[in-house]
Amino acid sequence: MSELRNNIFSVGAVDWNVRDFHSFDTKRGATYNAYLVQDEKNALIDAVKAPFAETLFRNISEKTELEKINYVVCNHCEPDHSGALPEVMKRLTNATLLCNAKCKDVLAAHYDIADWKIQIVGPTDRISLGTRSMMFLNTPMVHWPESMMTYIPEEKILFSNDAFGQHLATSVRFDDQWDLPEIMREAKAYYANIVTPYGRQVLKTLEAAKDLPLEMIAPSHGLIWRKNLGTILSAYSDWASGRYSAKVLILYDTMWESTKKMAEEIAKGAISVSSGLDVQPIHIRKTSLTRIATELLDTPVIAVGSATLNTLMMPMMGAVLTYIKGLKFRSKSAVSFGSAGWGPGGPESIAKWLEEMNYPLVAPMIKSKFLPTPEVLDQCFQTGITLGKLALEKAKQNE
Ligand code: FEO
């Protein structure tokens, strides 16, 4: 168990082997962080997923008796944090649950809260623990409407719940004890797949947090930020404002490799524009949705292609486009391509989706009848050049 500061401990659980977190590909596992603050009064900040309740109780019991906890803070009701609350409220017999009004409603929709002692708190409240105190920031939609964060001003620690988290199971708890590029890769995957639709609210949260003196950010997933706070705050600002990288993503599905050949030719064209471009042809049936969304987050330009199956795109491409649409990424310039045999379908159905998502189509659709001819491959190469140049321009607009 790690100590963040004098008598503030991490008491949550590490889920080493979770590999699917409601469709998030948690290839490195996950953690459900909870924190114990010991003072004249004791507080538990957040709980854990239901199956990890005993781990939570064991960790708390190493430091104090369960009956000596005075407050349980619920920053967010999603069951990965609230699942253990029914057991927590039963066994922490002297605890009052602190949450905002929306949170109480959401808790009531999930659990029988009739016997829970609940105190509603908001941004103007300050709960004294003795030498330290807890303040609260409402952060709606980061990640649910009731989400909030808890701040201990005397320690300059922000308990940020989902924000700034990563799905990364490790034996250490702090960012300076692990490889920073890996933490940032996982933080980006987490942001892209969970937080992207709420970028505007993230910017508001960053604005509110700007005035807080901060020495530590303790999220509810992954490692605690005590050294690289500037890195994660600036990355969130970039991701939430939709900053583009010099990048071209080519997403495709293929049946007999015609569409694959086209994708690779588009990639060659884009690569020929500049060695400074990140160009990635991605076969979507060999790549997780999680990775696709992570790569899409900062991509300004995409080509999307599919072979034709029963007059439509191939079905996994439908799943990818559904996922992308829901995540509401900043608009991307796009082109559709693909092959067909005796009738149209694949690239045409993709183009409809792209238009529906308001992704401007910046080059004519590229179609191949069965195998791509040299003329079709040349069109792919030239389109790749167009996309590459556009990606460079878009990335420059950030400067
Ligand atoms: Fe980690 Fe929105 O729950």
Side-chain angles (χ1 to χ4, degrees), residues 146-205:
E146 84 297 347
S147 290
M148 70 173 195
M149 298 183 187
T150 299
Y151 179 61
I152 298 191
E154 297 81 2
E155 299 287 3
K156 302 183 177 65
I157 303 178
L158 181 66
F159 297 88
S160 61
N161 199 265
D162 275 348
F164 313 118
Q166 330 94 49
H167 281 318
L168 183 59
T170 56
S171 53
V172 294
R173 292 270 53 83
F174 297 101
D175 63 330
D176 50 43
Q177 298 171 315
W178 203 256
D179 178 52
L180 183 60
E182 180 169 39
I183 304 173
M184 289 307 296
R185 267 196 302 280
E186 293 302 331
K188 184 180 178 188
Y190 186 93
Y191 185 97
N193 287 273
I194 293 176
V195 189
T196 296
Y198 315 116
R200 207 172 302 152
Q201 290 89 340
V202 169
L203 290 174
K204 277 188 196 158
T205 300

Side-chain angles (χ1 to χ4, degrees), residues 208-242:
K210 192 170 65 114
D211 299 327
L212 297 178
L214 282 183
E215 289 183 359
M216 209 178 283
I217 298 177
S220 58
H221 297 292
L223 294 156
I224 298 163
W225 302 95
R226 70 177 175 189
K227 181 178 178 197
N228 302 289
L229 280 77
T231 306
I232 187 66
L233 287 167
S234 140
Y236 259 61
S237 172
D238 286 349
W239 297 331
S241 53

